[in-house]
Amino acid sequence: MAEGRARIESEQIFQRIVEQATDLIYILDLDLRVVWLNHHAVTVFSELLAPGSRRVLPGGEERTSFFVGRPLAELFHPEDVAFVRRKMNEVVVAGDSVSYDHTITPHGEQTHFSTKLIPIRDDAGRVTQILGITRDVTEARELDQRIYNAEKLASIGILAAGVAHEINNPLTIILGFTDLLKERFSPDAQEYKDLELIEYNANHAKEVVQQMLGFARVTEGMHDQVDVASSVQTVTSIVRHTLANRKISLHVEIDEELPSVAGDPREYQQVLFNLVNNAVAAMSRGGVLTVRAKGRAGWVDVEVEDTGVGIPDRCKPRVFDPFFTTKRVGEGTGLGLSLCYGIVRKYGGKIDFVSTSTEDHPGEPGGSTFTVSLPVPDGDRKGGP
Amino acid sequence: MTQHILAVDDEPHMLKLLERIVEEKTPYRITTTSNSLEVPGLLERHAFDVVVTDLKMPGMDGLDVLQTVRERGRGEQVIIITAFGTLDSAMTALSSGVFDYIIKPFKKEAFLFSLHRAMRWVQKQREVEGLQAIFETEPYEEAREAFDREYVRRLRQRASGDVAALAERSGMNPGQLEELLQD
């Protein structure tokens, strides 16, 4: 009697373990019918159902029985089902477990799974069913990706510093001897003008290197706090005078009592300055530049809006790519926005834009708005959650 | 006495550039080497006033060169010129006693400005040390002699004329003046 009770208790323990496991545990027969599945599998399967099946999905307690006995073909997308069938065949043929990773995009967001299919044999040793254990590895994968990106950025930093050093030496020699040579000719001489051309281009190369060093140094910035209002005021006051010359009117709107955000004030100002420069460049015939600093729950947004020619649709995907530029040679290196992106992301922020281009919509007013959002560190939030 | 520069850089063309600048734009002499390991030997064989060195080199790097110079204590000032400029390395170098820290690419005017400053500094330093040596000479008689010799040397530099004129100007005994002038 006691033995029976012990067995029941032991079974109950195992049942509880399996039921409460945070992995999906399920059993399929060789026709890809669900024989049994644990609680978590019910939850996740429900989320992954193809639209048709989702419509007939019952709620609450009846869900489990909805799945049991049903073939996968009635539940999920045909490609996914075909995929599982292929994997199951591998198990049967190999007579051994098969592990694989797969990614599903149920509602536009990617979910990464890691699955192991294990053969269940009958007494004769034939594979009759498949035990599946699936784990959601999305978070782990994203963390890995973030670490990888950070390491890549750091190694780019080291690489860039080394390359910069290698290039700066020959540049110094070129510029140095060009300078000495220039002194031997009068400014009217052709040789003098030729030398000036060499010097100009060597200086351009020097600037690219310096910008790249700036990009590389993204990982070296001193962590601090940024008073957004004050940074916006600093940057706008610097550019104010040049704007008047170019027939660009400036509007600045800053919310009162904006909280500080994480960041290094110089880098933050560098970002704003870059965005403002781009806005000015887009308005070669004048226009309106608006800079707004606004707070919302847990974030501070700064918008830089212009009424310029806008960014054509064909360019939009590449806007933050390093070295992507639509400026002519000598007018810019194309590192500005990728640098901004790196800085903003480093502090956990976001940078994005909307734009209407006169190229895609001729006859209509164009313009772009870039928005930099930075999170407010937890201790500093003012005015509510 | 012509002031003398030692330039160290593993890039020979850079040394050529520095040579050119110094020869065309300054009254100083310059000796160069692309092998930093030769530096201690060169410091021994010549009297330098300023050492100009790169930072990142095989063998001894710029900071090693700086340390060697300081340890020998002969008063040479060190200027570091490097392509590898970071705030950290600049602060380290400057707090280790480097006279100046220049980042490549540099404008030759910036280099010359720094070079002239360093030379003036060294000159002043040596002068002070020379005078100090006189005051620290013992016994008193020898110090007095050293003082007289130096006094007359400077007198002859700033005043023209023969022994008699100099004697009258300074009020020194002409015989004594004549003797000191022989040195």
Side-chain angles (χ1 to χ4, degrees):
Chain A
M1 209 47 180
E3 206 184 274
R5 196 167 53 230
R7 181 139 46 90
I8 291 174
E9 276 180 14
S10 146
E11 272 182 25
Q12 281 177 343
I13 290 175
F14 280 114
Q15 189 145 347
R16 222 175 291 146
I17 292 174
V18 167
E19 272 305 323
Q20 294 182 12
T22 52
D23 291 345
L24 288 70
I25 306 177
Y26 45 93
I27 298 179
L28 307 171
D29 67 20
L30 297 182
D31 293 325
L32 281 189
R33 222 183 302 257
V34 176
V35 173
W36 174 89
L37 73 174
N38 77 342
H39 188 75
H40 198 66
V42 171
T43 310
V44 177
F45 280 7
S46 305
E47 287 168 21
L48 301 176
L49 286 179
S53 327
R54 193 192 306 279
R55 278 197 285 274
V56 300
L57 180 70
E61 293 302 311
E62 298 180 8
R63 274 209 187 163
T64 310
S65 37
F66 171 80
F67 283 106
V68 174
R70 204 172 288 268
L72 292 186
E74 283 181 26
L75 295 169
F76 303 117
H77 286 284
E79 306 98 56
D80 294 333
V81 176
F83 180 75
V84 176
R85 178 174 295 288
R86 275 201 303 275
K87 289 298 170 187
M88 182 152 78
N89 287 342
E90 278 177 38
V91 174
V92 172
V93 164
D96 204 355
S97 359
V98 162
S99 297
Y100 57 93
D101 292 340
H102 51 137
T103 301
I104 303 185
T105 314
H107 315 293
E109 268 174 33
Q110 284 192 330
T111 315
H112 304 289
F113 290 108
S114 183
T115 295
K116 191 162 185 143
L117 294 180
I118 302 163
I120 299 178
R121 295 171 206 280
D122 63 8
D123 293 331
R126 281 185 309 231
V127 179
T128 52
Q129 291 176 329
I130 304 286
L131 169 67
I133 304 181
T134 296
R135 174 168 297 183
D136 182 339
V137 295
T138 309
E139 225 178 273
R141 183 81 73 83
E142 267 175 27
L143 194 65
D144 275 346
Q145 187 67 35
R146 234 176 281 147
I147 292 175
Y148 172 74
N149 282 345
E151 282 176 2
K152 197 163 78 163
L153 213 62
S155 64
I156 286 179
I158 296 171
L159 188 72
V163 169
H165 178 240
E166 287 305 309
I167 295 184
N168 271 338
N169 258 328
L171 271 184
T172 307
I173 294 166
I174 293 173
L175 283 168
F177 277 102
T178 305
D179 192 23
L180 286 171
L181 268 177
K182 262 172 68 178
E183 290 179 355
R184 295 175 189 230
F185 298 100
S186 100
D188 307 317
Q190 185 58 44
E191 290 92 336
Y192 188 90
K193 297 192 174 103
D194 291 346
L195 287 167
E196 277 202 319
L197 205 66
I198 295 175
E199 197 177 50
Y200 177 82
N201 280 283
N203 273 322
H204 177 73
K206 169 179 150 185
E207 255 159 69
V208 171
V209 171
Q210 278 178 348
Q211 284 231 6
M212 188 164 70
L213 276 183
F215 179 77
R217 236 175 268 138
V218 163
T219 48
E220 268 185 50
M222 289 185 289
H223 205 88
D224 210 352
Q225 297 228 323
V226 178
D227 176 351
V228 176
S230 139
S231 288
V232 170
Q233 273 159 352
T234 302
V235 172
T236 49
S237 62
I238 291 174
V239 300
R240 201 175 285 273
H241 304 291
T242 35
L243 293 184
N245 293 346
R246 295 171 192 236
K247 295 193 265 197
I248 298 175
S249 52
L250 172 68
H251 299 304
V252 181
E253 300 161 15
I254 304 179
D255 273 8
E256 285 186 15
E257 303 226 1
L258 282 174
S260 298
V261 298
D264 175 79
R266 291 168 310 167
E267 287 180 335
Y268 193 77
Q269 283 166 25
Q270 195 176 359
V271 170
L272 293 182
F273 200 67
N274 228 290
L275 295 179
V276 165
N277 267 342
N278 286 351
V280 167
M283 297 188 278
S284 54
R285 298 204 206 116
V288 179
L289 172 68
T290 311
V291 181
R292 293 184 201 92
K294 311 195 286 212
R296 59 183 161 99
W299 294 83
V300 175
D301 303 326
V302 172
E303 293 173 4
V304 176
E305 179 183 325
D306 68 70
T307 57
V309 294
I311 300 170
D313 290 339
R314 62 183 166 84
C315 295
K316 282 181 184 171
R318 302 171 59 197
V319 150
F320 294 112
D321 287 354
F323 296 111
F324 174 72
T325 182
T326 52
K327 293 183 183 162
R328 288 197 297 272
V329 168
E331 282 183 20
T333 54
L335 277 170
L337 278 178
S338 61
L339 186 52
C340 294
Y341 186 86
I343 292 173
V344 170
R345 292 295 293 157
K346 179 167 66 143
Y347 294 111
K350 302 180 224 221
I351 178 169
D352 209 348
F353 67 97
V354 292
S355 182
T356 311
S357 70
T358 51
E359 179 183 299
D360 298 316
H361 307 271
E364 288 176 30
S368 308
T369 305
F370 275 78
T371 305
V372 174
S373 306
L374 280 169
V376 178
D378 281 318
D380 295 342
R381 294 178 197 206
K382 298 179 191 166
Chain B
M1 209 181 36
T2 317
Q3 290 183 295
H4 197 176
I5 301 164
L6 171 62
V8 189
D9 194 315
D10 58 332
E11 174 60 66
H13 293 173
M14 183 64 63
L15 292 175
K16 265 214 158 28
L17 177 63
L18 293 174
E19 243 177 12
R20 230 9 142 65
I21 294 177
V22 168
E23 279 163 14
E24 286 186 19
K25 306 281 168 199
T26 76
Y28 315 129
R29 278 173 59 209
I30 181 167
T31 299
T32 64
T33 175
S34 60
N35 182 358
S36 55
L37 296 171
E38 285 181 8
V39 168
L42 284 167
L43 288 174
E44 209 56 48
R45 287 198 296 279
H46 305 274
F48 293 107
D49 299 279
V50 171
V51 176
V52 174
T53 176
D54 192 5
L55 198 57
K56 297 242 171 264
M57 299 180 288
M60 293 173 69
D61 72 10
L63 292 176
D64 293 330
V65 169
L66 172 65
Q67 194 176 12
T68 305
V69 166
R70 307 216 86 218
E71 274 169 12
R72 290 181 72 255
R74 304 282 176 90
E76 300 96 335
Q77 288 303 313
V78 177
I79 297 175
I80 288 185
I81 308 188
T82 178
F84 201 74
T86 64
L87 186 61
D88 280 345
S89 63
M91 283 171 55
T92 306
L94 288 167
S95 58
S96 306
V98 134
F99 183 82
D100 209 350
Y101 188 95
I102 297 178
I103 296 186
K104 295 174 189 164
F106 56 86
K107 288 241 157 13
K108 71 172 185 295
E109 285 74 20
F111 168 65
L112 289 171
F113 182 71
S114 192
L115 188 59
H116 290 320
R117 272 193 322 129
M119 284 299 188
R120 276 199 300 274
W121 175 278
V122 171
Q123 197 173 42
K124 285 271 174 276
Q125 188 71 16
R126 298 223 200 279
E127 193 173 303
V128 165
E129 280 166 8
L131 293 175
Q132 239 170 356
I134 293 178
F135 280 103
E136 286 168 6
T137 304
E138 288 177 2
Y140 168 71
E141 284 309 319
E142 275 193 42
R144 186 66 186 268
E145 269 177 54
F147 170 81
D148 286 342
R149 273 198 301 273
E150 185 62 20
Y151 183 87
V152 167
R153 193 184 69 79
R154 291 178 184 228
L155 177 65
R156 189 162 45 178
Q157 265 180 353
R158 66 174 178 272
S160 56
D162 61 359
V163 178
L166 290 177
E168 192 179 324
R169 175 185 169 126
S170 64
M172 285 177 83
N173 179 310
Q176 183 195 19
L177 188 56
E178 176 105 42
E179 212 180 292
L180 287 165
L181 281 170
Q182 305 295 359
D183 295 340

